[in-house]
Amino acid sequence: MHHQVIATSDAPAPGGAYVQAIRHGELVVLSGQVGVDPVTGETAEGVAGQTRQALRNLLAVLAAAGGAPEHLVKTTCFLTDVSAFAEFNAAYAEVLGDLRPTRSTVGVQLAGGFLVEIEGLAIVPADAGTGA
């Protein structure tokens, strides 16, 4: 079984030597997404705005892999300011609604001045196919 590189214009293009996601069987490994609008190239304002946009980008890549939000099983979230956790958590819950994948959240320094980055793992059934 070979892995499949996933790419979509519905999320920002990779800014380095990586791909948006790789699908290997039912496992989809999603690269970290930041709060950049893929159409305008603008970075969302604040922790909440960047969290919402990063999750929208992550879910767009997941959709391109044939997945849906309920296939997301794990996220790793990176915050430059852990004192903004409550704001981050509220925006995260707003986007994902009742979905509660497992999650780790860590404080880091991010390249490009971003406040939030979110990566994920998903299990997408083989019969879900792939998107664009």
Side-chain angles (χ1 to χ4, degrees):
M1 178 183 321
H2 296 286
H3 67 261
Q4 174 188 9
V5 172
I6 305 299
T8 180
S9 60
D10 292 333
Y18 63 93
V19 297
Q20 291 173 320
I22 290 179
R23 181 172 179 162
H24 187 85
E26 294 185 345
L27 177 65
V28 179
V29 181
L30 301 143
S31 288
Q33 292 292 323
V34 294
V36 174
D37 184 297
V39 175
T40 66
E42 296 290 322
T43 300
E45 296 268 342
V47 168
Q50 288 190 28
T51 300
R52 286 189 290 270
Q53 186 63 55
L55 281 170
R56 285 192 292 265
N57 293 341
L58 191 77
L59 294 175
V61 176
L62 178 57
E70 61 269 18
H71 297 136
L72 193 61
V73 296
K74 168 78 166 99
T75 61
T76 304
C77 305
F78 305 96
L79 299 178
T80 60
D81 181 2
V82 293
S83 71
F85 179 82
E87 182 182 358
F88 154 79
N89 195 54
Y92 183 97
E94 176 187 322
V95 173
L96 292 184
D98 291 336
L99 294 177
R100 293 294 184 261
T102 63
R103 180 178 84 187
S104 299
T105 306
V106 296
V108 299
Q109 182 176 359
L110 294 171
F114 296 109
L115 304 175
V116 177
E117 183 172 351
I118 303 172
E119 65 182 28
L121 293 173
I123 304 297
V124 178
D127 61 0
T130 58

